[in-house]
Amino acid sequence: MIKGRKKILIIFLAIFLIASFTFQNSKKIKAVESGDVVNEISDLDKQIDLKKKEIENLQKKAEVYKKNIEQKKLEALSLGNQIAILDNQIVKIGLDIEATEKRIEQIGLEIKSLEFQIKEKEDKIADYKTKLADLLSILYRSSQKNYLEILILNNSFSEFFDQIQYLEELQIELQSLLNQVKELKAELNEKKIKKEAKKQEEENAKKELEQEKSSLEEKMVAKAALLEQTLSSEKEFQNLLIELRYEQEKIDSEIAYLERKIREKLAESDRAFFEGISGNVILSWPVDPSRGITAYFHDPDYPFRYIFEHPAIDIRAPQGTPILASAPGYVARAKDAGMGYSYIMIIHNSGISTVYGHVSKILVQEDTYVIRGQTIGLSGGMPGTPGAGRLSTGPHLHFEVRLNGIPVNPLDYLP
């Protein structure tokens, strides 16, 4: 009998030692893996800090060129001055592009770091779940015995109470593990949300980069066009100014006159149409704005501000993009100027009118009505193409909003 008990005890000890060795070995492997993850995260953090410093240095350099541009704007208008402004803008945008590229790299590193952190949390949760399963198994087996059985199986009250205390400690450990799993899951969810936010930030930065590259190209085209039209001559530059100002004043006068006369006509004969669309005018985007706005209303960085204040917004759009009517209205003007500046003007209710400039192809006729979203023409703006005129640096739509004939900020009327 005694020999049998000894045999059972030896077997039990052997199992215990094997299990203990396996558990300790598993802990060592996990500790090594955990250490590797921590090292990876630490290395990524160092790379992220380095990118931040590089971006800061580029932003400081860009700020110098921004100040140069502001200074040049205060100087007397001349060809050399305008070329200097464009040169500074070109360099500044180049630095902005480099900084944005570094920011995209930084965001990529941050996403990678979050992925390691997510993996670390997931591994811990899996480990804790294994421990929970083991504890639950022990507690389940123990729950199959009542206190009387435990008392009978133990040789003394001391062993009985030790057994009861052991079960209570297991329950406490079980609750502790459950709380830790709950906290880890909350942290894991937070890391996943941060990762998705970083991915969106990365996408936005990539769009910003494309817009900056397009802006750089436009400034270079503007410089080339200015040099070509003036033949690098100050005299030719001053002559060009006179011509362009005259053309712009002529277009503004034509639009103002047409609007006044046509509103008088509509008030008498076509009142029913506008009564059907009474109320405040809500405008829709004439082209998709997601590619960015290249120049804003009265934009101080507008490359031809030395001729006139920019009375519109320029919306970047590929050559030949369908232009949609922003609201129901009457086509007052659809001017095809050949290789000059072509535009469409639509009269709406409540004193609002819209002008669509640099139109490469006109698809509506004057003295007709259009509905919201109707295709009225195709966009242009590519230098040297029909409808672009001389004041264009790349494909876009020039979009004006006028209130009682006076240009106002279109962004105040768009969603």
Side-chain angles (χ1 to χ4, degrees):
M1 185 72 177
I2 293 171
K3 285 182 179 179
R5 285 184 180 178
K6 281 184 178 180
K7 189 176 181 181
I8 291 168
L9 182 60
I10 289 165
I11 293 168
F12 173 77
L13 285 170
I15 292 168
F16 173 78
L17 288 169
I18 291 166
S20 177
F21 174 78
T22 304
F23 176 72
Q24 292 298 329
N25 198 39
S26 174
K27 279 180 71 177
K28 285 178 183 176
I29 291 167
K30 285 178 181 176
V32 170
E33 289 175 351
S34 177
D36 289 343
V37 171
V38 170
N39 290 335
E40 286 283 359
I41 293 170
S42 178
D43 288 342
L44 287 167
D45 287 342
K46 287 175 184 175
Q47 291 179 57
I48 289 165
D49 288 339
L50 183 62
K51 292 294 175 189
K52 285 179 179 178
K53 287 176 184 175
E54 290 174 350
I55 292 166
E56 284 174 11
N57 288 334
L58 288 166
Q59 288 172 339
K60 284 177 184 177
K61 289 180 182 177
E63 192 62 32
V64 172
Y65 288 96
K66 184 180 178 182
K67 287 178 181 176
N68 289 344
I69 293 164
E70 295 305 317
Q71 182 60 41
K72 288 292 177 185
K73 285 178 182 177
L74 299 174
E75 296 176 7
L77 180 59
S78 67
L79 176 61
N81 176 270
Q82 292 305 305
I83 294 298
I85 288 173
L86 286 167
D87 281 340
N88 278 279
Q89 287 176 334
I90 287 166
V91 176
K92 180 189 175 296
I93 295 169
L95 290 167
D96 290 340
I97 287 170
E98 195 176 346
T100 303
E101 287 173 339
K102 296 286 183 187
R103 186 153 59 88
I104 291 168
E105 290 172 10
Q106 177 194 322
I107 295 167
L109 291 168
E110 288 170 343
I111 290 171
K112 196 172 180 182
S113 176
L114 284 167
E115 286 172 349
F116 274 113
Q117 292 173 48
I118 287 167
K119 177 73 166 56
E120 184 185 26
K121 301 294 180 192
E122 287 174 340
D123 287 347
K124 280 186 179 179
I125 289 170
D127 186 35
Y128 283 173
K129 281 182 176 179
T130 302
K131 290 178 182 177
L132 281 170
D134 292 341
L135 282 175
L136 287 168
S137 177
I138 294 167
L139 285 170
Y140 174 76
R141 289 198 300 271
S142 299
S143 68
Q144 302 305 304
K145 302 173 184 177
N146 58 37
Y147 286 116
L148 182 59
E149 285 179 297
I150 294 171
L151 180 59
I152 292 167
L153 289 170
N154 286 282
N155 295 327
S156 67
F157 277 107
S158 175
E159 290 178 359
F160 166 73
F161 286 119
D162 286 345
Q163 183 73 12
I164 296 299
Q165 187 178 356
Y166 172 67
L167 292 175
E168 288 175 353
E169 287 173 356
L170 282 179
Q171 288 175 336
I172 292 167
E173 189 177 347
L174 177 65
Q175 187 59 53
S176 174
L177 280 171
L178 285 169
N179 291 338
Q180 288 179 68
V181 169
K182 187 177 178 181
E183 287 175 13
L184 280 169
K185 281 188 174 180
E187 290 172 8
L188 177 63
N189 188 51
E190 184 184 343
K191 296 294 181 188
K192 285 181 176 179
I193 291 170
K194 279 186 180 178
K195 181 184 171 183
E196 289 306 311
K198 282 292 173 186
K199 280 187 173 180
Q200 186 58 55
E201 188 182 342
E202 186 180 40
E203 285 303 310
N204 294 340
K206 285 177 179 177
K207 287 179 184 177
E208 186 181 326
L209 179 63
E210 288 306 310
Q211 290 173 10
E212 287 170 344
K213 285 180 177 178
S214 296
S215 181
L216 177 62
E217 186 180 344
E218 286 157 11
K219 298 296 182 189
M220 292 174 77
V221 169
K223 179 184 173 182
L226 188 58
L227 290 171
E228 183 181 349
Q229 291 185 52
T230 61
L231 302 173
S232 301
S233 163
E234 183 63 38
K235 183 180 178 181
E236 289 297 325
F237 174 72
Q238 295 300 331
N239 289 337
L240 178 67
L241 283 182
I242 293 168
E243 289 175 17
L244 292 176
R245 282 171 178 162
Y246 173 75
E247 285 180 16
Q248 187 60 37
E249 286 170 6
K250 186 179 177 183
I251 291 168
D252 284 341
S253 297
E254 182 180 44
I255 289 172
Y257 173 78
L258 276 171
E259 179 161 2
R260 186 172 65 254
K261 297 300 290 183
I262 288 169
R263 283 197 185 279
E264 290 173 4
K265 172 190 168 184
L266 293 175
E268 295 172 4
S269 62
D270 296 339
R271 187 176 298 159
F273 175 79
F274 288 103
E275 285 176 352
I277 53 171
S278 60
N280 293 330
V281 175
I282 299 172
L283 300 179
S284 306
W285 286 93
V287 292
D288 182 5
S290 65
R291 293 174 63 88
I293 294 172
T294 61
Y296 290 87
F297 183 74
H298 288 186
D299 194 333
D301 291 325
Y302 182 60
F304 301 111
R305 197 184 181 201
Y306 50 82
I307 300 171
F308 62 91
E309 284 285 2
H310 193 235
I313 58 171
D314 289 346
I315 310 166
R316 186 178 283 113
Q319 188 86 357
T321 298
I323 304 168
L324 312 179
S326 288
Y330 174 86
V331 181
R333 196 78 167 101
K335 183 175 181 178
D336 184 347
M339 299 301 288
Y341 176 71
S342 299
Y343 69 92
I344 299 167
M345 177 186 179
I346 300 176
I347 303 287
H348 310 285
N349 67 322
S350 302
I352 296 292
S353 61
T354 51
V355 179
Y356 311 77
H358 302 300
V359 180
S360 61
K361 188 173 183 179
I362 294 170
L363 300 176
V364 287
Q365 293 182 337
E366 294 177 1
D367 198 28
T368 59
Y369 291 98
V370 293
I371 60 173
R372 183 191 303 277
Q374 181 176 332
T375 301
I376 58 174
L378 302 179
S379 70
M382 180 71 75
T385 61
R390 292 196 285 180
L391 296 181
S392 184
T393 58
H396 70 278
L397 175 69
H398 173 94
F399 181 60
E400 293 181 29
V401 175
R402 294 179 176 238
L403 178 60
N404 299 321
I406 299 170
V408 291
N409 190 349
L411 295 178
D412 293 338
Y413 294 82
L414 290 164

